[in-house]
Coordinates of all heavy atoms in Angstrom, one line a residue:
M992 N -14.0 -42.8 14.5 CA -14.2 -42.0 13.3 C -14.3 -40.6 13.8 O -15.2 -40.3 14.6 CB -15.4 -42.5 12.6 CG -15.6 -41.7 11.3 SD -17.0 -42.3 10.2 CE -16.6 -44.0 9.9
T993 N -13.6 -39.6 13.1 CA -13.7 -38.3 13.5 C -14.9 -37.6 12.6 O -15.4 -38.3 11.7 CB -12.4 -37.5 13.0 OG1 -12.3 -37.5 11.6 CG2 -11.2 -38.1 13.6
A994 N -15.3 -36.4 13.0 CA -16.4 -35.7 12.3 C -16.0 -35.4 10.9 O -16.8 -35.6 10.0 CB -16.7 -34.4 13.1
T995 N -14.8 -35.2 10.6 CA -14.4 -34.9 9.3 C -14.5 -36.3 8.4 O -14.9 -36.3 7.3 CB -12.9 -34.4 9.2 OG1 -12.8 -33.3 9.9 CG2 -12.5 -34.2 7.8
E996 N -14.1 -37.4 9.0 CA -14.2 -38.6 8.3 C -15.6 -39.2 8.0 O -15.9 -39.9 7.2 CB -13.5 -39.8 9.1 CG -12.0 -39.6 9.2 CD -11.2 -40.5 10.2 OE1 -12.0 -41.0 11.1 OE2 -10.2 -40.8 9.9
S997 N -16.6 -38.6 8.9 CA -18.0 -39.1 8.7 C -18.7 -38.2 7.9 O -19.9 -38.4 7.5 CB -18.7 -39.1 10.1 OG -18.8 -37.8 10.6
R998 N -18.1 -37.1 7.3 CA -18.9 -36.2 6.4 C -19.1 -37.0 5.0 O -18.3 -37.7 4.5 CB -18.1 -35.0 6.1 CG -17.9 -34.1 7.2 CD -17.3 -32.8 6.8 NE -17.3 -31.9 7.8 CZ -16.3 -31.0 8.2 NH1 -15.3 -31.1 7.4 NH2 -16.3 -30.1 9.2
S999 N -20.3 -36.8 4.5 CA -20.6 -37.6 3.3 C -20.2 -36.8 2.1 O -20.3 -37.4 0.9 CB -22.2 -37.8 3.3 OG -22.9 -36.6 3.4
T1000 N -19.9 -35.6 2.2 CA -19.4 -34.9 0.9 C -18.0 -34.3 1.1 O -17.7 -33.9 2.2 CB -20.4 -33.7 0.6 OG1 -20.5 -32.8 1.7 CG2 -21.8 -34.2 0.3
A1001 N -17.3 -34.2 0.1 CA -16.0 -33.6 0.1 C -16.1 -32.1 0.2 O -17.0 -31.5 -0.2 CB -15.2 -34.0 -1.2
R1002 N -15.0 -31.6 1.0 CA -15.0 -30.1 1.2 C -13.7 -29.7 0.7 O -12.7 -30.2 0.9 CB -15.1 -29.8 2.7 CG -16.4 -30.2 3.3 CD -16.5 -29.6 4.8 NE -17.8 -30.1 5.4 CZ -18.9 -29.5 5.2 NH1 -19.0 -28.3 4.5 NH2 -19.9 -29.9 5.8
E1003 N -13.8 -28.5 -0.1 CA -12.6 -27.9 -0.6 C -12.3 -26.7 0.2 O -13.1 -25.8 0.5 CB -12.9 -27.4 -2.1 CG -13.1 -28.6 -3.0 CD -11.9 -29.5 -3.2 OE1 -10.8 -29.0 -3.1 OE2 -12.1 -30.7 -3.4
S1004 N -11.0 -26.6 0.6 CA -10.6 -25.4 1.4 C -10.3 -24.3 0.3 O -9.8 -24.6 -0.8 CB -9.3 -25.7 2.1 OG -9.5 -26.6 3.1
L1005 N -10.6 -23.1 0.6 CA -10.5 -22.0 -0.2 C -10.6 -20.7 0.6 O -10.9 -20.7 1.7 CB -11.5 -22.0 -1.4 CG -13.0 -21.9 -1.0 CD1 -13.5 -20.5 -1.2 CD2 -13.7 -22.8 -2.0
F1006 N -10.2 -19.7 -0.2 CA -10.3 -18.3 0.4 C -11.0 -17.4 -0.6 O -10.6 -17.2 -1.7 CB -8.9 -17.7 0.7 CG -9.1 -16.3 1.3 CD1 -9.3 -16.1 2.7 CD2 -9.1 -15.2 0.5 CE1 -9.4 -14.9 3.1 CE2 -9.3 -13.9 1.0 CZ -9.4 -13.8 2.3
Q1007 N -12.3 -17.1 -0.3 CA -13.1 -16.3 -1.1 C -14.1 -15.5 -0.2 O -14.5 -15.9 0.7 CB -13.9 -17.4 -2.0 CG -14.8 -16.6 -3.1 CD -15.6 -17.6 -3.9 OE1 -16.7 -17.8 -3.6 NE2 -14.9 -18.4 -4.7
L1008 N -14.4 -14.3 -0.7 CA -15.3 -13.5 -0.1 C -16.7 -13.7 -0.6 O -16.9 -14.0 -1.8 CB -14.9 -12.0 -0.2 CG -13.6 -11.6 0.5 CD1 -13.3 -10.1 0.2 CD2 -13.6 -11.8 1.9
A1009 N -17.6 -13.6 0.3 CA -19.1 -13.7 -0.1 C -19.8 -12.7 0.8 O -19.3 -12.2 1.8 CB -19.5 -15.2 0.2
S1010 N -21.1 -12.6 0.5 CA -22.0 -11.7 1.3 C -23.1 -12.7 1.8 O -23.6 -13.6 1.1 CB -22.5 -10.6 0.7 OG -23.4 -11.0 -0.4
V1011 N -23.4 -12.5 3.1 CA -24.5 -13.3 3.7 C -25.6 -12.3 4.2 O -25.3 -11.2 4.8 CB -23.9 -14.0 5.0 CG1 -25.1 -14.6 5.8 CG2 -23.0 -15.1 4.5
Q1012 N -26.8 -12.6 3.8 CA -27.9 -11.8 4.3 C -28.8 -12.7 5.2 O -29.2 -13.8 4.8 CB -28.8 -11.3 3.1 CG -29.8 -10.4 3.6 CD -30.7 -9.8 2.4 OE1 -30.4 -10.1 1.4 NE2 -31.5 -8.9 2.8
I1013 N -29.0 -12.3 6.5 CA -29.8 -13.1 7.4 C -31.3 -12.8 7.1 O -31.7 -11.5 6.8 CB -29.4 -12.7 8.8 CG1 -27.9 -13.0 9.1 CG2 -30.4 -13.4 9.8 CD1 -27.5 -12.4 10.5
E1014 N -32.1 -13.7 7.0 CA -33.6 -13.5 6.7 C -34.1 -12.4 7.7 O -33.7 -12.5 8.9 CB -34.2 -14.8 7.0 CG -35.7 -14.8 6.3 CD -36.3 -16.3 6.3 OE1 -36.7 -16.7 7.4 OE2 -36.3 -16.9 5.3
Q1015 N -35.0 -11.7 7.2 CA -35.7 -10.5 8.0 C -34.8 -9.3 8.1 O -35.1 -8.5 8.9 CB -36.3 -11.1 9.2 CG -37.1 -12.3 9.2 CD -38.4 -12.0 8.3 OE1 -39.0 -11.0 8.4 NE2 -38.8 -13.1 7.7
E1016 N -33.5 -9.4 7.6 CA -32.7 -8.3 7.8 C -32.3 -7.7 6.4 O -32.2 -8.5 5.4 CB -31.3 -8.6 8.5 CG -31.5 -8.9 9.9 CD -30.2 -9.2 10.7 OE1 -29.1 -8.9 10.0 OE2 -30.1 -9.7 11.7
S1017 N -32.1 -6.4 6.2 CA -31.7 -5.9 5.0 C -30.2 -5.8 4.7 O -29.8 -5.8 3.6 CB -32.4 -4.5 4.8 OG -31.9 -3.6 5.7
E1018 N -29.5 -5.8 5.8 CA -28.0 -5.7 5.7 C -27.4 -6.9 5.3 O -27.7 -8.0 5.6 CB -27.4 -5.3 7.1 CG -25.9 -5.0 7.2 CD -25.4 -4.7 8.5 OE1 -26.2 -4.7 9.4 OE2 -24.2 -4.5 8.6
R1019 N -26.4 -6.8 4.4 CA -25.5 -7.8 3.9 C -24.2 -7.8 4.7 O -23.6 -6.8 4.9 CB -25.4 -7.7 2.4 CG -26.5 -8.0 1.6 CD -26.2 -8.0 0.1 NE -27.4 -8.3 -0.7 CZ -27.7 -9.4 -1.1 NH1 -26.9 -10.5 -0.8 NH2 -28.9 -9.7 -1.7
H1020 N -23.7 -9.0 5.0 CA -22.6 -9.1 5.8 C -21.4 -9.7 5.0 O -21.6 -10.7 4.3 CB -22.7 -9.9 7.1 CG -23.9 -9.4 7.9 ND1 -23.7 -8.5 8.9 CD2 -25.1 -9.8 7.9 CE1 -24.8 -8.3 9.5 NE2 -25.7 -9.0 8.9
R1021 N -20.2 -9.1 4.9 CA -19.0 -9.7 4.2 C -18.4 -10.8 5.1 O -18.2 -10.6 6.2 CB -18.0 -8.7 4.0 CG -18.3 -7.6 3.0 CD -18.2 -8.1 1.5 NE -16.9 -8.0 1.0 CZ -16.7 -8.0 -0.2 NH1 -17.7 -8.2 -1.1 NH2 -15.4 -8.1 -0.6
V1022 N -18.3 -12.0 4.4 CA -17.7 -13.1 5.1 C -16.5 -13.7 4.3 O -16.5 -13.6 3.1 CB -18.7 -14.1 5.5 CG1 -19.7 -13.6 6.4 CG2 -19.3 -14.8 4.3
R1023 N -15.7 -14.4 5.0 CA -14.6 -15.2 4.3 C -15.1 -16.7 4.2 O -15.3 -17.2 5.2 CB -13.4 -15.1 4.9 CG -12.7 -13.7 5.0 CD -11.4 -13.8 5.6 NE -10.8 -12.5 5.6 CZ -10.9 -11.5 6.6 NH1 -11.6 -11.8 7.7 NH2 -10.3 -10.3 6.5
V1024 N -15.1 -17.2 3.0 CA -15.6 -18.6 2.8 C -14.2 -19.4 3.1 O -13.2 -19.2 2.4 CB -16.1 -18.9 1.5 CG1 -16.4 -20.3 1.4 CG2 -17.3 -18.0 1.2
R1025 N -14.3 -20.3 4.1 CA -13.1 -21.1 4.4 C -13.1 -22.5 3.7 O -12.0 -23.0 3.4 CB -12.8 -21.2 6.0 CG -12.5 -19.8 6.6 CD -11.2 -19.4 6.0 NE -10.9 -18.1 6.8 CZ -9.8 -17.4 6.4 NH1 -9.1 -17.7 5.3 NH2 -9.5 -16.3 7.0
N1026 N -14.2 -23.0 3.6 CA -14.4 -24.2 2.9 C -15.7 -24.4 2.4 O -16.7 -23.9 2.9 CB -14.0 -25.5 3.7 CG -14.8 -25.8 4.9 OD1 -16.0 -25.8 4.8 ND2 -14.2 -26.1 6.0
L1027 N -16.0 -25.2 1.3 CA -17.2 -25.3 0.5 C -17.3 -26.6 0.0 O -16.4 -27.2 -0.4 CB -17.1 -24.2 -0.6 CG -18.3 -24.2 -1.6 CD1 -19.5 -23.5 -0.8 CD2 -18.0 -23.3 -2.8
S1028 N -18.5 -27.2 0.2 CA -18.9 -28.4 -0.4 C -20.2 -28.3 -1.1 O -20.8 -27.2 -1.0 CB -19.1 -29.5 0.7 OG -20.2 -29.2 1.5
D1029 N -20.7 -29.4 -1.7 CA -22.0 -29.3 -2.4 C -23.1 -29.0 -1.4 O -24.2 -28.4 -1.8 CB -22.2 -30.4 -3.2 CG -21.3 -30.7 -4.4 OD1 -20.5 -29.8 -4.6 OD2 -21.3 -31.7 -5.0
G1030 N -23.0 -29.5 -0.2 CA -24.1 -29.3 0.8 C -24.0 -28.2 1.8 O -24.9 -27.9 2.5
G1031 N -22.9 -27.5 1.8 CA -22.7 -26.4 2.8 C -21.3 -25.8 2.8 O -20.6 -26.0 1.8
M1032 N -21.1 -24.9 3.8 CA -19.9 -24.0 3.8 C -19.5 -23.7 5.2 O -20.4 -23.7 6.0 CB -20.0 -22.9 2.9 CG -21.0 -21.9 3.3 SD -21.2 -20.3 2.3 CE -20.2 -19.2 3.3
M1033 N -18.3 -23.4 5.4 CA -17.9 -22.7 6.6 C -17.4 -21.3 6.3 O -16.7 -21.1 5.3 CB -16.7 -23.5 7.3 CG -16.2 -22.8 8.6 SD -15.0 -23.6 9.4 CE -13.6 -23.5 8.4
A1034 N -17.9 -20.4 7.1 CA -17.6 -18.8 6.8 C -17.0 -18.4 8.1 O -17.1 -18.9 9.2 CB -18.9 -18.1 6.5
E1035 N -16.3 -17.3 8.0 CA -15.6 -16.6 9.0 C -15.9 -15.1 8.8 O -15.9 -14.5 7.8 CB -14.1 -16.8 9.0 CG -13.3 -16.1 10.0 CD -11.8 -16.4 10.0 OE1 -11.3 -16.1 8.9 OE2 -11.3 -16.8 10.9
A1036 N -16.3 -14.4 9.9 CA -16.7 -13.0 10.0 C -16.4 -12.4 11.3 O -16.7 -13.1 12.3 CB -18.1 -12.8 9.5
T1037 N -16.0 -11.2 11.3 CA -15.7 -10.5 12.6 C -16.8 -9.7 13.1 O -17.1 -9.6 14.3 CB -14.5 -9.7 12.6 OG1 -14.6 -8.7 11.5 CG2 -13.2 -10.5 12.4
N1038 N -17.7 -9.2 12.2 CA -18.8 -8.3 12.7 C -20.2 -8.9 12.4 O -21.1 -8.1 12.3 CB -18.7 -7.0 11.9 CG -17.4 -6.3 12.3 OD1 -17.0 -6.4 13.4 ND2 -16.8 -5.5 11.5
T1039 N -20.2 -10.1 12.1 CA -21.5 -10.8 11.8 C -22.0 -11.6 13.0 O -21.2 -12.5 13.5 CB -21.4 -11.6 10.6 OG1 -21.0 -10.8 9.5 CG2 -22.8 -12.3 10.2
R1040 N -23.2 -11.4 13.5 CA -23.7 -12.2 14.7 C -24.9 -13.0 14.2 O -26.0 -12.7 14.1 CB -24.2 -11.2 15.8 CG -23.2 -10.3 16.3 CD -22.2 -11.1 17.2 NE -21.2 -10.2 17.7 CZ -19.9 -10.4 17.6 NH1 -19.5 -11.4 16.9 NH2 -19.1 -9.5 18.1
V1041 N -24.5 -14.2 13.9 CA -25.5 -15.2 13.4 C -25.7 -16.2 14.6 O -24.9 -16.4 15.4 CB -25.1 -16.0 12.2 CG1 -25.0 -15.1 11.0 CG2 -23.8 -16.8 12.5
Q1042 N -26.8 -16.8 14.6 CA -27.1 -17.9 15.6 C -27.6 -19.2 14.8 O -28.1 -19.1 13.7 CB -28.3 -17.4 16.4 CG -28.0 -16.3 17.3 CD -29.1 -15.8 18.1 OE1 -30.2 -16.2 18.0 NE2 -28.8 -14.7 19.0
R1043 N -27.4 -20.2 15.5 CA -27.8 -21.5 14.9 C -29.3 -21.4 14.5 O -30.1 -21.0 15.4 CB -27.6 -22.7 16.0 CG -27.8 -24.0 15.5 CD -27.2 -25.0 16.4 NE -27.3 -26.4 15.8 CZ -28.3 -27.2 16.0 NH1 -29.3 -26.9 17.0 NH2 -28.3 -28.4 15.5
G1044 N -29.7 -21.9 13.4 CA -31.0 -21.9 12.9 C -31.4 -20.7 12.1 O -32.4 -20.7 11.5
H1045 N -30.6 -19.6 12.1 CA -30.9 -18.4 11.3 C -31.0 -18.9 9.8 O -30.2 -19.7 9.3 CB -29.8 -17.4 11.4 CG -29.9 -16.4 12.4 ND1 -28.9 -15.6 12.8 CD2 -31.0 -16.0 13.2 CE1 -29.3 -14.8 13.8 NE2 -30.6 -15.1 14.0
R1046 N -32.0 -18.4 9.1 CA -32.2 -18.6 7.6 C -31.3 -17.6 7.1 O -31.4 -16.4 7.3 CB -33.6 -18.6 7.3 CG -34.5 -19.5 7.9 CD -34.4 -21.0 7.4 NE -34.6 -20.9 6.0 CZ -34.0 -21.7 5.0 NH1 -33.1 -22.5 5.5 NH2 -34.2 -21.5 3.8
V1047 N -30.6 -17.9 6.0 CA -29.6 -17.0 5.3 C -29.7 -17.2 3.8 O -30.0 -18.3 3.3 CB -28.2 -17.1 5.8 CG1 -28.0 -16.8 7.3 CG2 -27.6 -18.6 5.5
T1048 N -29.2 -16.1 3.2 CA -29.0 -16.2 1.7 C -27.5 -15.8 1.4 O -27.1 -14.8 1.9 CB -29.9 -15.3 0.9 OG1 -31.2 -15.7 1.0 CG2 -29.5 -15.4 -0.7
V1049 N -26.7 -16.7 0.8 CA -25.3 -16.4 0.6 C -25.1 -16.1 -0.9 O -25.6 -16.9 -1.7 CB -24.4 -17.7 1.0 CG1 -23.0 -17.4 0.7 CG2 -24.7 -18.2 2.4
E1050 N -24.4 -15.1 -1.1 CA -24.1 -14.7 -2.5 C -22.7 -15.1 -2.8 O -21.7 -14.6 -2.3 CB -24.2 -13.2 -2.7 CG -24.2 -12.8 -4.2 CD -25.4 -13.2 -5.0 OE1 -26.4 -13.0 -4.4 OE2 -25.2 -13.4 -6.2
L1051 N -22.5 -16.3 -3.5 CA -21.1 -16.8 -3.8 C -20.7 -16.5 -5.2 O -21.5 -16.6 -6.2 CB -21.2 -18.3 -3.7 CG -21.4 -18.9 -2.3 CD1 -21.8 -20.3 -2.3 CD2 -20.2 -18.7 -1.4
R1052 N -19.5 -16.1 -5.4 CA -18.9 -15.8 -6.8 C -19.1 -17.1 -7.6 O -18.9 -18.2 -7.2 CB -17.5 -15.5 -6.7 CG -16.8 -15.2 -8.0 CD -15.5 -14.6 -7.9 NE -14.6 -15.3 -7.1 CZ -13.7 -14.7 -6.2 NH1 -13.5 -13.4 -6.4 NH2 -12.9 -15.4 -5.5
D1053 N -19.5 -16.9 -8.9 CA -19.7 -17.8 -9.9 C -20.8 -18.8 -9.7 O -21.2 -19.7 -10.4 CB -18.4 -18.8 -10.1 CG -17.3 -17.8 -10.5 OD1 -17.5 -16.9 -11.3 OD2 -16.2 -18.2 -10.2
L1054 N -21.5 -18.7 -8.4 CA -22.7 -19.5 -8.1 C -24.0 -18.7 -7.9 O -25.1 -19.3 -8.0 CB -22.5 -20.4 -6.9 CG -21.3 -21.4 -7.1 CD1 -20.9 -22.1 -5.8 CD2 -21.7 -22.5 -8.0
G1055 N -23.9 -17.5 -7.5 CA -25.0 -16.7 -7.3 C -25.6 -16.9 -5.8 O -24.9 -17.3 -4.9
A1056 N -26.9 -16.7 -5.7 CA -27.5 -16.7 -4.4 C -27.9 -18.1 -4.0 O -28.4 -18.9 -4.8 CB -28.8 -15.9 -4.4
V1057 N -27.5 -18.5 -2.8 CA -27.8 -19.9 -2.4 C -28.4 -19.8 -0.9 O -27.9 -19.0 -0.1 CB -26.4 -20.7 -2.2 CG1 -26.7 -22.1 -1.7 CG2 -25.7 -20.6 -3.5
R1058 N -29.5 -20.4 -0.8 CA -30.2 -20.3 0.5 C -29.9 -21.4 1.4 O -29.6 -22.5 0.9 CB -31.7 -20.3 0.3 CG -32.1 -19.0 -0.4 CD -33.7 -18.9 -0.6 NE -34.5 -19.2 0.6 CZ -34.7 -18.3 1.6 NH1 -34.2 -17.0 1.5 NH2 -35.4 -18.6 2.6
G1059 N -29.9 -21.2 2.7 CA -29.6 -22.3 3.6 C -29.9 -21.8 5.1 O -30.6 -20.8 5.3
S1060 N -29.4 -22.6 6.0 CA -29.6 -22.2 7.5 C -28.2 -22.4 8.2 O -27.4 -23.2 7.8 CB -30.6 -23.0 8.1 OG -30.3 -24.4 8.0
V1061 N -28.0 -21.6 9.2 CA -26.8 -21.8 10.1 C -26.9 -23.0 10.9 O -27.9 -23.2 11.6 CB -26.7 -20.5 10.9 CG1 -25.5 -20.7 11.9 CG2 -26.6 -19.2 10.1
A1062 N -25.9 -23.9 10.7 CA -25.9 -25.2 11.3 C -25.2 -25.2 12.7 O -25.5 -25.9 13.6 CB -25.3 -26.3 10.5
W1063 N -24.1 -24.4 12.7 CA -23.4 -24.2 14.0 C -22.6 -22.9 14.0 O -22.4 -22.3 13.0 CB -22.3 -25.4 14.1 CG -21.4 -25.5 13.0 CD1 -21.6 -26.2 11.8 CD2 -20.2 -24.8 12.8 NE1 -20.5 -26.0 11.0 CE2 -19.6 -25.2 11.6 CE3 -19.4 -23.9 13.5 CZ2 -18.4 -24.7 11.1 CZ3 -18.2 -23.5 13.1 CH2 -17.7 -23.8 11.9
V1064 N -22.2 -22.5 15.2 CA -21.5 -21.2 15.4 C -20.4 -21.5 16.4 O -20.7 -22.1 17.5 CB -22.4 -20.1 15.8 CG1 -21.6 -18.8 16.1 CG2 -23.5 -19.8 14.9
Q1065 N -19.2 -21.1 16.2 CA -18.1 -21.3 17.1 C -17.2 -20.0 16.9 O -16.5 -19.8 15.9 CB -17.3 -22.5 16.9 CG -16.3 -22.6 18.0 CD -15.5 -24.0 17.8 OE1 -15.7 -24.7 16.9 NE2 -14.6 -24.2 18.8
D1066 N -17.2 -19.1 18.0 CA -16.3 -17.9 17.9 C -16.8 -17.0 16.7 O -18.0 -16.7 16.5 CB -14.9 -18.1 17.9 CG -14.5 -19.0 19.2 OD1 -15.0 -18.6 20.3 OD2 -13.6 -19.8 19.0
N1067 N -15.8 -16.8 15.8 CA -16.2 -16.0 14.6 C -16.4 -16.8 13.3 O -16.4 -16.3 12.2 CB -15.1 -14.8 14.4 CG -13.8 -15.5 14.1 OD1 -13.6 -16.6 14.3 ND2 -12.9 -14.6 13.6
R1068 N -16.5 -18.1 13.5 CA -16.8 -19.0 12.4 C -18.1 -19.6 12.6 O -18.7 -19.9 13.6 CB -15.8 -20.1 12.3 CG -14.4 -19.5 12.0 CD -13.4 -20.6 11.8 NE -12.0 -20.0 11.4 CZ -11.2 -20.7 10.8 NH1 -11.2 -21.9 10.6 NH2 -10.0 -20.0 10.4
F1069 N -18.8 -20.0 11.4 CA -20.1 -20.6 11.4 C -20.3 -21.5 10.2 O -19.6 -21.3 9.2 CB -21.2 -19.7 11.6 CG -21.2 -18.5 10.5 CD1 -22.1 -18.7 9.5 CD2 -20.5 -17.5 10.8 CE1 -22.2 -17.7 8.5 CE2 -20.6 -16.3 9.7 CZ -21.4 -16.5 8.6
G1070 N -21.1 -22.5 10.3 CA -21.3 -23.4 9.2 C -22.8 -23.1 8.7 O -23.7 -22.9 9.4
I1071 N -22.9 -23.2 7.4 CA -24.2 -23.1 6.7 C -24.5 -24.4 5.9 O -23.7 -24.7 5.1 CB -24.2 -21.9 5.7 CG1 -23.9 -20.6 6.5 CG2 -25.5 -21.8 4.9 CD1 -23.8 -19.3 5.6
A1072 N -25.7 -24.9 6.2 CA -26.2 -26.0 5.4 C -27.1 -25.6 4.4 O -28.1 -24.8 4.7 CB -26.9 -27.0 6.4
F1073 N -26.7 -25.8 3.1 CA -27.6 -25.3 2.0 C -28.9 -26.1 1.9 O -29.0 -27.3 2.2 CB -26.8 -25.5 0.7 CG -25.6 -24.7 0.6 CD1 -24.4 -25.3 -0.1 CD2 -25.3 -23.5 1.1 CE1 -23.3 -24.5 -0.2 CE2 -24.2 -22.7 1.1 CZ -23.2 -23.2 0.4
D1074 N -30.0 -25.4 1.4 CA -31.3 -26.0 1.3 C -31.3 -27.1 0.2 O -31.9 -28.1 0.3 CB -32.3 -25.0 0.9 CG -32.6 -24.1 2.1 OD1 -32.2 -24.3 3.2 OD2 -33.3 -23.0 1.8
S1075 N -30.4 -26.8 -0.9 CA -30.3 -27.7 -2.1 C -28.9 -27.8 -2.4 O -28.2 -26.9 -2.3 CB -31.1 -27.2 -3.3 OG -32.5 -27.0 -2.9
P1076 N -28.4 -29.0 -2.8 CA -27.0 -29.1 -3.2 C -26.6 -28.2 -4.4 O -27.5 -27.9 -5.2 CB -26.9 -30.6 -3.6 CG -28.0 -31.3 -3.0 CD -29.1 -30.2 -3.0
I1077 N -25.3 -27.7 -4.3 CA -24.8 -26.9 -5.4 C -23.7 -27.7 -6.0 O -23.3 -28.7 -5.5 CB -24.2 -25.6 -4.8 CG1 -23.1 -25.9 -3.9 CG2 -25.4 -24.7 -4.2 CD1 -22.2 -24.7 -3.5
D1078 N -23.1 -27.2 -7.2 CA -21.9 -27.8 -7.7 C -20.8 -26.9 -7.2 O -20.5 -25.9 -7.9 CB -22.1 -27.7 -9.2 CG -20.8 -28.4 -9.9 OD1 -19.9 -28.8 -9.2 OD2 -20.8 -28.5 -11.1
S1079 N -20.2 -27.3 -6.1 CA -19.1 -26.5 -5.5 C -17.8 -26.3 -6.4 O -17.1 -25.4 -6.3 CB -18.7 -27.0 -4.2 OG -18.2 -28.4 -4.3
R1080 N -17.8 -27.2 -7.5 CA -16.6 -27.1 -8.4 C -16.7 -25.8 -9.2 O -15.7 -25.4 -9.8 CB -16.6 -28.3 -9.3 CG -16.2 -29.5 -8.4 CD -16.4 -30.8 -9.3 NE -17.8 -30.9 -9.8 CZ -18.2 -31.8 -10.6 NH1 -17.5 -32.5 -11.1 NH2 -19.6 -31.7 -10.9
Q1081 N -17.9 -25.3 -9.3 CA -18.1 -24.0 -10.0 C -17.5 -22.8 -9.4 O -17.2 -21.8 -9.9 CB -19.5 -23.7 -10.4 CG -20.1 -24.7 -11.4 CD -21.6 -24.4 -11.6 OE1 -22.1 -23.5 -11.0 NE2 -22.1 -25.0 -12.6
A1082 N -17.2 -22.8 -8.0 CA -16.7 -21.7 -7.3 C -15.2 -21.7 -7.6 O -14.4 -22.5 -7.4 CB -16.9 -21.9 -5.8
D1083 N -14.7 -20.6 -8.2 CA -13.4 -20.4 -8.7 C -12.5 -19.7 -7.7 O -12.4 -18.6 -7.7 CB -13.4 -19.6 -10.1 CG -12.0 -19.7 -10.7 OD1 -11.0 -20.3 -10.1 OD2 -11.9 -19.2 -11.8
S1084 N -12.0 -20.5 -6.8 CA -11.1 -20.0 -5.8 C -9.8 -19.4 -6.3 O -9.1 -18.6 -5.6 CB -10.8 -21.0 -4.7 OG -10.1 -22.1 -5.2
S1085 N -9.4 -19.8 -7.5 CA -8.2 -19.2 -8.1 C -8.2 -17.8 -8.4 O -7.2 -17.2 -8.8 CB -7.8 -20.1 -9.4 OG -8.7 -20.0 -10.4
Q1086 N -9.4 -17.2 -8.4 CA -9.5 -15.8 -8.9 C -9.7 -14.9 -7.7 O -10.2 -13.8 -7.8 CB -10.7 -15.7 -9.8 CG -10.4 -16.3 -11.1 CD -11.6 -16.0 -12.1 OE1 -12.3 -15.2 -12.0 NE2 -11.6 -16.7 -13.2
T1087 N -9.2 -15.3 -6.6 CA -9.3 -14.3 -5.4 C -8.4 -13.2 -5.7 O -7.1 -13.4 -6.0 CB -8.8 -15.1 -4.1 OG1 -9.6 -16.1 -3.9 CG2 -8.8 -14.1 -2.9
S1088 N -8.9 -11.9 -5.7 CA -8.0 -10.8 -6.0 C -7.3 -10.3 -4.8 O -7.6 -10.6 -3.7 CB -9.0 -9.7 -6.6 OG -9.8 -9.2 -5.5
E1089 N -6.3 -9.5 -5.2 CA -5.5 -8.8 -4.0 C -6.4 -8.1 -3.2 O -6.1 -8.0 -2.0 CB -4.3 -8.1 -4.6 CG -3.3 -9.0 -5.2 CD -2.1 -8.2 -5.7 OE1 -1.9 -7.1 -5.2 OE2 -1.4 -8.7 -6.6
S1090 N -7.3 -7.3 -3.7 CA -8.2 -6.6 -2.8 C -9.1 -7.4 -2.0 O -9.3 -7.1 -0.8 CB -9.1 -5.7 -3.7 OG -9.9 -6.4 -4.5
D1091 N -9.5 -8.6 -2.4 CA -10.2 -9.6 -1.7 C -9.3 -10.1 -0.5 O -9.7 -10.1 0.7 CB -10.7 -10.8 -2.4 CG -11.8 -10.5 -3.4 OD1 -12.4 -9.4 -3.3 OD2 -12.2 -11.3 -4.2
A1092 N -8.1 -10.4 -0.8 CA -7.1 -10.9 0.2 C -6.9 -9.9 1.4 O -6.6 -10.2 2.4 CB -5.9 -11.4 -0.5
A1093 N -6.9 -8.6 0.9 CA -6.6 -7.6 2.0 C -7.7 -7.3 2.8 O -7.5 -6.8 3.9 CB -6.1 -6.3 1.2
A1094 N -8.9 -7.7 2.5 CA -10.1 -7.5 3.4 C -10.1 -8.2 4.5 O -9.6 -9.2 4.7 CB -11.4 -7.6 2.5

């Protein structure tokens, strides 16, 4: 069984911009959300240095602020496990604007 097959929640691939704020920092970092589930997300960022275990708050379009922790980091991608489940269906990936896509 692969890691993908063993996941307990479905993940939706999408392209959406979000901001991540690492606990104890005032700066917000722009990230690209690559997939999203009720329990977490995978993000991609070129100028964000997160480490496994960092506490973060993610500002997601149509969902607002979601708290969680960094579960893994690989190159410029990282996973965030949310503290509480969200309704990932509320994230509207169909409204990615051209300015978002160019960023």
Side-chain angles (χ1 to χ4, degrees):
M992 181 181 299
T993 68
T995 301
E996 292 169 335
S997 67
R998 288 186 179 144
S999 61
T1000 58
R1002 294 186 185 275
E1003 295 295 325
S1004 293
L1005 57 99
F1006 179 88
Q1007 185 180 102
L1008 292 180
S1010 67
V1011 171
Q1012 184 173 7
I1013 301 168
E1014 192 173 78
Q1015 308 295 328
E1016 291 184 12
S1017 60
E1018 183 180 0
R1019 292 183 178 265
H1020 306 274
R1021 293 281 277 193
V1022 299
R1023 292 179 181 95
V1024 179
R1025 292 300 185 187
N1026 65 45
L1027 181 68
S1028 73
D1029 291 354
M1032 63 179 263
M1033 179 176 68
E1035 180 179 53
T1037 55
N1038 296 330
T1039 304
R1040 299 288 179 236
V1041 295
Q1042 295 179 352
R1043 188 171 187 261
H1045 272 167
R1046 299 286 304 148
V1047 296
T1048 301
V1049 183
E1050 191 71 36
L1051 292 164
R1052 181 175 41 218
D1053 298 328
L1054 294 171
V1057 181
R1058 293 186 47 83
S1060 59
V1061 176
W1063 57 269
V1064 178
Q1065 183 176 8
D1066 300 322
N1067 62 344
R1068 292 184 178 200
F1069 56 96
I1071 296 174
F1073 299 142
D1074 290 348
S1075 301
I1077 62 165
D1078 184 354
S1079 59
R1080 295 171 297 174
Q1081 289 182 350
D1083 188 357
S1084 62
S1085 65
Q1086 293 188 12
T1087 301
S1088 70
E1089 288 182 28
S1090 62
D1091 286 351

